[in-house]
C-alpha cells in the first residue's frame, strides 16, 4: 500500500527538477498525476515512462485558463483532485533595481505568484467535493531571508509563503490543507544555471557547493519530493499554514567547522563561572 493510494494529483512544473521528482514519487506511492508544464518533450517523456498513472498537459501557469485546464484534466481523467503542487518557477529578473524593466517584473510575479493563486483558486471546488485535500506550494528560503537570491525572486517567494498562510485559514474550513516547502540549494537546472546540465556539470556543482552546507552536501530533487509526499499524505493531516524549510541546515547558520575556522587565531573563549566555582 502506497501513502497516496487512490489519490489524484497535479504537479505544475512537473517535467523536470523537483517537480519531476514529485511526480515520480507520487506515482510510486499510488497516485495518478497530471504533469503540467511548458516543456512538451520532457513532460511527455516522463508521462510515458510512468505509464497509465501519469498524463502530460502543456501548461502555461501564467494563464488562468491553462491552470484551470490542468486541474480539470485530473477530474476528467480520474474523477477528482486530492493533491496540488504549485511548483512551477524560474529565477526571474536579476540585477540591481534600476536595471529591472516593467516586463521583467511582471513575468517574474506572474510565474512565481500569480500561478500559485490560480492553482489555489481552481483547486478549491474539486477538493471541496472530495471532502478535503492538500495543496503544497514551492517557496524558498529566499522568501524567509534577504540576500539569498535576486530582489524579485525573494519578494515573490515571500508572497507565496504569506499566501500559503492566508489560504490555509480560509480553506481549512473545507478540509483543505495548504503548506509551503522552502528549499535551499537543490541540484536542479535552475541552481546550476543551465537549461540542460550534463552529468559532469551537476557533479561539479555538487562538489563546489556541498561543503558549504551544514549537512555536508547539496540537496537533491528527491529531498524535496519526500517533503512534498509528507505534506500530501494523511501523515500530515494536522499540518496546515506552515513553511517547511528543507535546506540541509543552511538557514540555521554556518556549519560548526566553518565557524571555528573563522575564529582561528582569535583569543580563546572563556566560559563564565560563578564566583566560588
Amino acid at each position: 500500500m502506497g501513502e497516496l493510494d487512490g489519490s489524484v494529483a497535479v504537479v505544475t512544473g512537473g517535467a523536470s527538477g523537483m517537480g519531476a521528482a514529485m511526480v515520480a514519487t507520487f506515482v510510486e506511492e499510488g497516485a495518478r498525476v497530471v504533469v503540467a508544464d511548458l516543456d512538451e518533450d520532457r513532460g511527455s517523456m516522463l508521462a510515458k515512462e510512468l505509464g497509465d498513472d501519469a498524463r502530460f498537459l502543456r501548461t502555461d501557469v501564467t494563464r488562468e485558463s491553462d491552470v484551470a485546464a490542468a486541474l480539470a484534466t485530473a477530474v476528467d481523467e480520474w474523477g477528482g483532485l486530492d493533491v496540488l503542487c504549485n511548483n512551477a518557477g524560474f529565477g526571474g529578473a536579476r540585477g540591481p533595481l534600476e536595471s529591472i524593466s516593467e516586463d521583467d517584473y511582471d513575468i517574474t510575479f506572474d510565474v512565481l505568484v500569480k500561478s500559485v493563486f490560480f492553482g489555489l483558486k481552481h483547486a478549491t471546488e474539486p477538493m471541496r467535493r472530495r471532502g478535503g485535500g492538500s495543496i503544497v506550494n514551492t517557496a524558498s528560503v529566499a522568501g524567509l531571508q534577504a540576500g539569498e537570491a535576486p530582489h524579485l525572486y525573494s519578494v515573490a517567494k515571500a508572497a507565496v509563503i504569506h499566501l500559503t498562510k492566508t489560504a490555509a485559514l480560509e480553506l481549512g474550513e473545507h478540509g483543505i490543507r495548504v503548506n509551503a516547502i522552502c528549499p535551499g540549494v537543490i541540484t536542479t537546472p535552475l541552481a546550476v544555471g543551465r537549461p540542460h546540465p550534463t552529468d559532469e556539470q551537476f557533479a561539479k556543482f555538487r562538489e563546489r557547493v556541498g561543503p558549504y552546507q551544514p549537512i555536508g552536501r547539496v540537496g537533491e530533487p528527491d529531498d524535496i519530493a519526500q517533503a512534498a509526499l509528507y505534506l500530501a499524505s494523511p501523515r500530515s493531516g494536522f499540518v496546515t499554514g506552515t513553511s517547511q524549510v528543507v535546506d540541509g541546515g543552511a538557514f540555521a547558520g554556518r556549519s560548526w567547522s566553518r565557524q571555528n575556522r573563522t575564529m582561528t587565531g582569535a583569543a580563546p573563549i572563556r566560559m563564565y563561572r560563578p564566583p566560588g566555582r
Side-chain angles (χ1 to χ4, degrees):
M1 294 288 288
E3 292 195 46
L4 297 180
D5 274 352
S7 294
V8 178
V10 174
V11 179
T12 68
S16 64
M18 296 183 296
M22 292 177 192
V23 171
T25 298
F26 287 3
V27 169
E28 183 179 350
E29 292 294 332
R32 291 163 291 183
V33 187
V34 173
V35 182
D37 202 296
L38 275 176
D39 191 330
E40 295 187 52
D41 291 338
R42 285 183 173 181
S44 298
M45 184 179 301
L46 178 61
K48 184 177 180 180
E49 289 174 357
L50 295 174
D52 293 339
D53 290 328
R55 298 284 187 277
F56 170 73
L57 184 69
R58 186 183 186 280
T59 306
D60 179 349
V61 294
T62 70
R63 299 172 59 88
E64 183 171 7
S65 59
D66 277 24
V67 176
L71 302 183
T73 296
V75 175
D76 293 342
E77 287 279 340
W78 296 303
L81 178 67
D82 303 289
V83 178
L84 167 63
C85 290
N86 286 311
N87 171 73
F90 76 138
R94 296 177 177 272
L97 294 169
E98 62 186 12
S99 72
I100 298 172
S101 69
E102 184 176 359
D103 286 344
D104 288 342
Y105 179 98
D106 287 342
I107 190 62
T108 300
F109 276 82
D110 284 354
V111 172
L112 298 179
V113 183
K114 190 163 73 171
S115 66
V116 176
F117 170 78
F118 288 156
L120 289 162
K121 176 181 178 179
H122 290 282
T124 298
E125 181 54 30
M127 286 187 176
R128 188 160 48 198
R129 290 199 300 266
R130 298 278 265 196
S134 175
I135 299 174
V136 182
N137 301 322
T138 299
S140 170
V141 292
L144 298 169
Q145 174 66 51
E148 300 292 331
H151 293 297
L152 298 188
Y153 184 90
S154 299
V155 175
K157 291 303 186 180
V160 170
I161 291 168
H162 205 70
L163 181 56
T164 296
K165 295 177 182 178
T166 61
L169 299 181
E170 176 185 346
L171 301 184
E173 297 176 1
H174 306 293
I176 301 170
R177 298 181 294 106
V178 188
N179 293 284
I181 298 175
C182 296
V185 180
I186 308 298
T187 308
T188 64
L190 175 62
V192 176
R194 297 175 180 271
H196 302 284
T198 64
D199 290 343
E200 182 181 1
Q201 288 166 337
F202 274 131
K204 287 182 177 178
F205 176 78
R206 292 184 180 98
E207 182 179 355
R208 184 177 74 253
V209 180
Y212 291 94
Q213 307 300 303
I215 208 166
R217 67 172 177 87
V218 270
E220 300 295 336
D222 189 61
D223 292 315
I224 306 304
Q226 293 301 319
L229 173 61
Y230 167 70
L231 292 173
S233 75
R235 284 191 293 146
S236 60
F238 200 55
V239 179
T240 193
T242 70
S243 298
Q244 306 287 318
V245 176
V246 186
D247 71 343
F251 186 62
R254 291 178 297 172
S255 63
W256 180 248
S257 59
R258 287 181 64 208
Q259 291 180 52
N260 286 344
R261 281 199 299 271
T262 62
M263 293 187 289
T264 300
I269 299 174
R270 300 186 183 277
M271 293 183 62
Y272 169 75
R273 294 185 183 279
R277 297 189 65 182

